[in-house]
Amino acid sequence: MEIKEHMDHAYARRLAGKVERYLKDRYGARKVMVFGSLVTGFFNPDFSSIKIGFEEIGRDLDADAAADCRLHFGYRDPDGLKRLQVVSLKELSPETRKSILLEAEEV
């Protein structure tokens, strides 16, 4: 799957599932969550991004895992709009992490 200009909800969910499997298989992530508009129901196929957070990867591999996902799956559509965001929840402030976890759901 690849990042496209128009990604409907089902396509975005499938891509999130592929990222989840990649993080679990390659990095041993135990928890991978999707958050943002894909979860809240405000996903727009033409410009919303797929936001994925992960936890429980060794701290020294968090940055590598996020960067590897960008390289493996891409993160911008053909127009240059950022469409895939993969972050380690450990790297976020406690307030941001708490806010994300309130709406996040496991992939």
Side-chain angles (χ1 to χ4, degrees), residues 3 14 16 22 27 29 32 36 38 50-51 57 71 76-77 83-84 93 95-96 100 102:
I3 304 296
R14 285 193 310 274
Y22 188 77
Y27 292 96
V32 180
L38 195 57
I50 302 164
K51 294 179 175 74
I57 290 178
L71 288 172
R76 294 188 185 272
D77 69 15
R83 299 297 299 267
L84 178 65
S93 71
E95 297 81 20
T96 302
I100 287 171
L102 286 174

mmCIF file of all heavy atoms in Angstrom, residues 3 14 16 22 27 29 32 36 38 50-51 57 71 76-77 83-84 93 95-96 100 102:
data_model
loop_
_atom_site.group_PDB
_atom_site.id
_atom_site.type_symbol
_atom_site.label_atom_id
_atom_site.label_comp_id
_atom_site.label_asym_id
_atom_site.label_seq_id
_atom_site.Cartn_x
_atom_site.Cartn_y
_atom_site.Cartn_z
ATOM 1 N N ILE A 3 0.970 5.768 0.063
ATOM 2 C CA ILE A 3 0.288 7.022 0.358
ATOM 3 C C ILE A 3 -0.244 7.574 -0.958
ATOM 4 O O ILE A 3 0.472 7.636 -1.950
ATOM 5 C CB ILE A 3 1.265 8.034 0.995
ATOM 6 C CG1 ILE A 3 1.906 7.452 2.250
ATOM 7 C CG2 ILE A 3 0.573 9.340 1.279
ATOM 8 C CD1 ILE A 3 0.959 7.158 3.369
ATOM 9 N N ARG A 14 -6.672 0.125 6.473
ATOM 10 C CA ARG A 14 -5.822 -0.984 6.025
ATOM 11 C C ARG A 14 -4.344 -0.604 6.100
ATOM 12 O O ARG A 14 -3.506 -1.406 6.514
ATOM 13 C CB ARG A 14 -6.193 -1.422 4.610
ATOM 14 C CG ARG A 14 -7.480 -2.215 4.534
ATOM 15 C CD ARG A 14 -7.680 -2.906 3.188
ATOM 16 N NE ARG A 14 -7.517 -2.047 2.027
ATOM 17 C CZ ARG A 14 -8.473 -1.287 1.498
ATOM 18 N NH1 ARG A 14 -9.686 -1.265 2.025
ATOM 19 N NH2 ARG A 14 -8.228 -0.546 0.426
ATOM 20 N N ALA A 16 -3.041 1.602 8.127
ATOM 21 C CA ALA A 16 -2.708 1.616 9.556
ATOM 22 C C ALA A 16 -2.430 0.201 10.048
ATOM 23 O O ALA A 16 -1.505 -0.034 10.834
ATOM 24 C CB ALA A 16 -3.831 2.259 10.360
ATOM 25 N N TYR A 22 3.963 -4.165 10.770
ATOM 26 C CA TYR A 22 5.381 -3.889 10.538
ATOM 27 C C TYR A 22 6.089 -3.555 11.855
ATOM 28 O O TYR A 22 7.168 -4.080 12.147
ATOM 29 C CB TYR A 22 5.514 -2.735 9.543
ATOM 30 C CG TYR A 22 6.912 -2.470 9.072
ATOM 31 C CD1 TYR A 22 7.516 -3.285 8.120
ATOM 32 C CD2 TYR A 22 7.636 -1.391 9.564
ATOM 33 C CE1 TYR A 22 8.803 -3.031 7.673
ATOM 34 C CE2 TYR A 22 8.917 -1.131 9.120
ATOM 35 C CZ TYR A 22 9.492 -1.955 8.177
ATOM 36 O OH TYR A 22 10.775 -1.698 7.748
ATOM 37 N N TYR A 27 9.984 -4.555 15.083
ATOM 38 C CA TYR A 27 10.505 -3.904 16.291
ATOM 39 C C TYR A 27 9.947 -4.465 17.588
ATOM 40 O O TYR A 27 10.328 -4.018 18.662
ATOM 41 C CB TYR A 27 10.248 -2.397 16.224
ATOM 42 C CG TYR A 27 11.068 -1.734 15.149
ATOM 43 C CD1 TYR A 27 10.529 -1.503 13.892
ATOM 44 C CD2 TYR A 27 12.391 -1.384 15.386
ATOM 45 C CE1 TYR A 27 11.293 -0.922 12.894
ATOM 46 C CE2 TYR A 27 13.157 -0.801 14.394
ATOM 47 C CZ TYR A 27 12.605 -0.570 13.144
ATOM 48 O OH TYR A 27 13.370 -0.004 12.172
ATOM 49 N N ALA A 29 6.940 -4.128 18.808
ATOM 50 C CA ALA A 29 5.985 -3.249 19.493
ATOM 51 C C ALA A 29 4.847 -4.085 20.068
ATOM 52 O O ALA A 29 4.345 -4.989 19.415
ATOM 53 C CB ALA A 29 5.428 -2.205 18.526
ATOM 54 N N VAL A 32 0.179 -0.727 19.428
ATOM 55 C CA VAL A 32 0.156 0.232 18.319
ATOM 56 C C VAL A 32 -1.266 0.766 18.238
ATOM 57 O O VAL A 32 -2.220 0.002 18.191
ATOM 58 C CB VAL A 32 0.573 -0.429 16.980
ATOM 59 C CG1 VAL A 32 0.533 0.581 15.853
ATOM 60 C CG2 VAL A 32 1.958 -1.056 17.089
ATOM 61 N N GLY A 36 -6.524 10.517 16.335
ATOM 62 C CA GLY A 36 -6.828 11.647 15.473
ATOM 63 C C GLY A 36 -8.106 11.427 14.684
ATOM 64 O O GLY A 36 -8.993 10.679 15.086
ATOM 65 N N LEU A 38 -8.980 9.799 12.124
ATOM 66 C CA LEU A 38 -9.368 8.452 11.700
ATOM 67 C C LEU A 38 -10.207 7.763 12.773
ATOM 68 O O LEU A 38 -11.053 6.935 12.472
ATOM 69 C CB LEU A 38 -8.126 7.629 11.365
ATOM 70 C CG LEU A 38 -8.321 6.346 10.574
ATOM 71 C CD1 LEU A 38 -9.036 6.608 9.248
ATOM 72 C CD2 LEU A 38 -6.993 5.665 10.313
ATOM 73 N N ILE A 50 -2.999 9.981 8.649
ATOM 74 C CA ILE A 50 -3.162 8.792 9.477
ATOM 75 C C ILE A 50 -2.154 8.942 10.606
ATOM 76 O O ILE A 50 -0.951 9.011 10.364
ATOM 77 C CB ILE A 50 -2.872 7.520 8.660
ATOM 78 C CG1 ILE A 50 -3.795 7.445 7.456
ATOM 79 C CG2 ILE A 50 -2.984 6.282 9.533
ATOM 80 C CD1 ILE A 50 -3.335 6.448 6.419
ATOM 81 N N LYS A 51 -2.661 9.004 11.827
ATOM 82 C CA LYS A 51 -1.787 9.196 12.987
ATOM 83 C C LYS A 51 -1.694 7.888 13.764
ATOM 84 O O LYS A 51 -2.700 7.345 14.193
ATOM 85 C CB LYS A 51 -2.309 10.315 13.867
ATOM 86 C CG LYS A 51 -2.250 11.665 13.197
ATOM 87 C CD LYS A 51 -2.805 12.751 14.105
ATOM 88 C CE LYS A 51 -2.652 14.110 13.494
ATOM 89 N NZ LYS A 51 -3.562 14.375 12.416
ATOM 90 N N ILE A 57 8.477 -0.372 22.711
ATOM 91 C CA ILE A 57 9.662 -0.710 21.921
ATOM 92 C C ILE A 57 10.829 -0.204 22.751
ATOM 93 O O ILE A 57 10.726 0.829 23.397
ATOM 94 C CB ILE A 57 9.646 -0.002 20.544
ATOM 95 C CG1 ILE A 57 8.572 -0.600 19.651
ATOM 96 C CG2 ILE A 57 10.999 -0.083 19.862
ATOM 97 C CD1 ILE A 57 8.448 0.062 18.300
ATOM 98 N N LEU A 71 10.220 5.685 5.799
ATOM 99 C CA LEU A 71 10.933 5.188 4.619
ATOM 100 C C LEU A 71 10.188 4.045 3.947
ATOM 101 O O LEU A 71 10.108 3.978 2.721
ATOM 102 C CB LEU A 71 12.341 4.719 5.006
ATOM 103 C CG LEU A 71 13.337 5.799 5.362
ATOM 104 C CD1 LEU A 71 14.620 5.172 5.903
ATOM 105 C CD2 LEU A 71 13.639 6.674 4.161
ATOM 106 N N ARG A 76 4.327 11.347 2.724
ATOM 107 C CA ARG A 76 3.701 12.456 1.997
ATOM 108 C C ARG A 76 3.011 11.911 0.755
ATOM 109 O O ARG A 76 3.464 10.955 0.147
ATOM 110 C CB ARG A 76 4.740 13.488 1.591
ATOM 111 C CG ARG A 76 5.364 14.191 2.770
ATOM 112 C CD ARG A 76 6.245 15.343 2.310
ATOM 113 N NE ARG A 76 6.939 15.944 3.410
ATOM 114 C CZ ARG A 76 6.453 16.920 4.160
ATOM 115 N NH1 ARG A 76 5.264 17.403 3.916
ATOM 116 N NH2 ARG A 76 7.166 17.418 5.151
ATOM 117 N N ASP A 77 1.910 12.553 0.389
ATOM 118 C CA ASP A 77 1.233 12.149 -0.834
ATOM 119 C C ASP A 77 1.934 12.798 -2.031
ATOM 120 O O ASP A 77 2.877 13.575 -1.854
ATOM 121 C CB ASP A 77 -0.272 12.456 -0.765
ATOM 122 C CG ASP A 77 -0.603 13.939 -0.799
ATOM 123 O OD1 ASP A 77 0.253 14.779 -1.152
ATOM 124 O OD2 ASP A 77 -1.752 14.283 -0.475
ATOM 125 N N ARG A 83 0.791 12.782 5.096
ATOM 126 C CA ARG A 83 -0.393 11.939 5.254
ATOM 127 C C ARG A 83 -0.220 10.786 6.228
ATOM 128 O O ARG A 83 -1.180 10.126 6.589
ATOM 129 C CB ARG A 83 -0.811 11.374 3.890
ATOM 130 C CG ARG A 83 -1.188 12.415 2.849
ATOM 131 C CD ARG A 83 -2.396 13.250 3.215
ATOM 132 N NE ARG A 83 -3.602 12.491 3.394
ATOM 133 C CZ ARG A 83 -4.514 12.241 2.469
ATOM 134 N NH1 ARG A 83 -4.363 12.727 1.266
ATOM 135 N NH2 ARG A 83 -5.570 11.537 2.745
ATOM 136 N N LEU A 84 1.012 10.481 6.664
ATOM 137 C CA LEU A 84 1.244 9.409 7.623
ATOM 138 C C LEU A 84 2.189 9.925 8.699
ATOM 139 O O LEU A 84 3.285 10.381 8.399
ATOM 140 C CB LEU A 84 1.856 8.177 6.945
ATOM 141 C CG LEU A 84 2.193 7.006 7.857
ATOM 142 C CD1 LEU A 84 0.923 6.412 8.478
ATOM 143 C CD2 LEU A 84 2.952 5.926 7.097
ATOM 144 N N SER A 93 5.142 14.702 25.456
ATOM 145 C CA SER A 93 4.946 15.216 26.812
ATOM 146 C C SER A 93 3.836 14.409 27.491
ATOM 147 O O SER A 93 2.959 13.857 26.806
ATOM 148 C CB SER A 93 4.557 16.696 26.765
ATOM 149 O OG SER A 93 3.242 16.835 26.270
ATOM 150 N N GLU A 95 1.237 15.404 28.992
ATOM 151 C CA GLU A 95 -0.078 15.971 28.680
ATOM 152 C C GLU A 95 -0.547 15.541 27.290
ATOM 153 O O GLU A 95 -1.705 15.171 27.101
ATOM 154 C CB GLU A 95 -0.050 17.510 28.760
ATOM 155 C CG GLU A 95 0.260 18.051 30.131
ATOM 156 C CD GLU A 95 1.754 18.055 30.452
ATOM 157 O OE1 GLU A 95 2.602 18.008 29.526
ATOM 158 O OE2 GLU A 95 2.072 18.074 31.652
ATOM 159 N N THR A 96 0.354 15.599 26.315
ATOM 160 C CA THR A 96 0.010 15.197 24.953
ATOM 161 C C THR A 96 -0.302 13.708 24.904
ATOM 162 O O THR A 96 -1.274 13.281 24.286
ATOM 163 C CB THR A 96 1.154 15.537 23.981
ATOM 164 O OG1 THR A 96 1.407 16.944 24.047
ATOM 165 C CG2 THR A 96 0.810 15.142 22.558
ATOM 166 N N ILE A 100 -3.868 11.968 23.782
ATOM 167 C CA ILE A 100 -3.944 10.982 22.694
ATOM 168 C C ILE A 100 -4.583 9.685 23.184
ATOM 169 O O ILE A 100 -5.448 9.109 22.513
ATOM 170 C CB ILE A 100 -2.543 10.724 22.100
ATOM 171 C CG1 ILE A 100 -2.119 11.931 21.258
ATOM 172 C CG2 ILE A 100 -2.532 9.453 21.255
ATOM 173 C CD1 ILE A 100 -0.684 11.874 20.801
ATOM 174 N N LEU A 102 -6.729 9.191 25.395
ATOM 175 C CA LEU A 102 -8.165 9.321 25.636
ATOM 176 C C LEU A 102 -8.979 8.947 24.400
ATOM 177 O O LEU A 102 -10.087 8.438 24.519
ATOM 178 C CB LEU A 102 -8.522 10.741 26.068
ATOM 179 C CG LEU A 102 -8.121 11.121 27.491
ATOM 180 C CD1 LEU A 102 -8.413 12.603 27.737
ATOM 181 C CD2 LEU A 102 -8.848 10.256 28.506
#
